[in-house]
Amino acid sequence: MEALRAGSGGHFDLPAGTVYPALRRLERAGLITGTWDQTGGRERRVYELTAAGRRMLDAERGSWRQFAAAVTALLEPAPRPAAL
Amino acid sequence: MTGSQHIESYLSEAAAALPGPARARDDLIAELRSGLLDATDAYHAAGHSPDEAAAAATAEFGDPRQIAAAFGPELAARQARRTALALITTGPLIGLLWAAAATASHIAIHRDSLSDHITAPRSPARRSTT
């Protein structure tokens, strides 16, 4: 959550606790798997992407780039080619 | 409130708002607790007193009832699985299996009576030839 806040320049400043329900939803969807981990003394739930999660991330990243590029192209039109 | 009291009262507020089976709830609460303790450690390391650190961590996590509500679908799914299991052992499915078993044995009985019918005319016929 801190990485999300810092990485987005403070735009996505969600309550830290909301990450836990989100993780469980992703796990139920089969996109990540969580296991309890004891290393470092305190029990922590550690998550990693499943193969399906990785595919989904790649697909979503691709479609976001397409969408963002399309919106950018509409909002900031390139100068019309002079030949026309 | 002391640091651990802050965290435990936050967790009991969240637990009270969580529906569903106790085991699933305990697992979610344990995960929240470890997250809160990690956040508390981070605030403590940044120079806050233990009490301030725990208060800051719980504040950062957000309204416990809101977090609990967001867990709703997760617990509902687990509850649904339990309900499905309960229905399998006590409900309509077992009823269906009984019906299937009864139908199967009825067919068997019916076959027996059919073979009775098939063999029945023979006996008088045999008798008549003697």
Side-chain angles (χ1 to χ4, degrees):
Chain A
M1 276 295 166
E2 181 54 29
L4 182 66
R5 196 189 61 76
S8 67
H11 270 291
F12 298 122
D13 193 7
L14 297 168
T18 57
V19 74
Y20 300 98
L23 286 169
R24 295 298 179 130
R25 278 198 297 279
L26 290 170
E27 189 176 22
R28 192 150 44 84
L31 300 174
I32 59 174
T33 48
T35 44
W36 282 101
D37 183 86
Q38 187 71 281
T39 46
R42 180 171 299 152
E43 274 217 312
R44 290 181 183 86
R45 219 167 142 74
V46 178
Y47 294 91
E48 57 185 335
L49 281 169
T50 61
R54 209 170 295 281
R55 280 196 300 277
M56 176 74 96
L57 179 62
D58 287 344
E60 291 293 316
R61 186 183 276 134
S63 66
W64 173 259
R65 279 188 183 140
Q66 275 187 334
F67 177 72
V71 173
T72 305
L74 285 171
L75 293 180
E76 290 158 26
R80 282 160 192 267
L84 286 174
Chain B
M1 270 203 280
T2 70
S4 67
Q5 277 173 335
H6 265 296
I7 289 170
E8 290 312 314
S9 86
Y10 182 97
L11 291 173
S12 57
E13 226 181 305
L18 279 173
R23 209 165 54 150
R25 198 168 57 210
D26 290 349
D27 196 53
L28 300 179
I29 292 296
E31 188 176 7
L32 278 178
R33 179 180 286 111
S34 80
L36 280 169
L37 291 174
D38 279 349
T40 302
D41 286 352
Y43 278 109
H44 187 46
H48 293 273
S49 76
D51 294 0
E52 283 170 358
T58 52
E60 181 191 290
F61 263 52
D63 184 347
R65 285 158 303 176
Q66 202 185 327
I67 305 302
F71 273 128
E74 158 71 15
L75 289 166
R78 295 217 192 180
Q79 187 68 55
R81 277 203 291 281
R82 272 162 62 104
T83 307
L85 202 65
L87 278 176
I88 283 164
T89 50
T90 64
L93 186 57
I94 287 296
L96 275 174
L97 287 176
W98 273 112
T103 310
S105 58
H106 175 71
I107 286 166
I109 291 162
H110 190 61
R111 273 205 200 110
D112 285 348
S113 61
L114 268 180
S115 60
D116 282 351
H117 274 291
I118 291 160
T119 54
R122 274 189 206 153
S123 323
R126 267 202 297 272
R127 259 200 305 267
S128 67
T129 54
T130 50

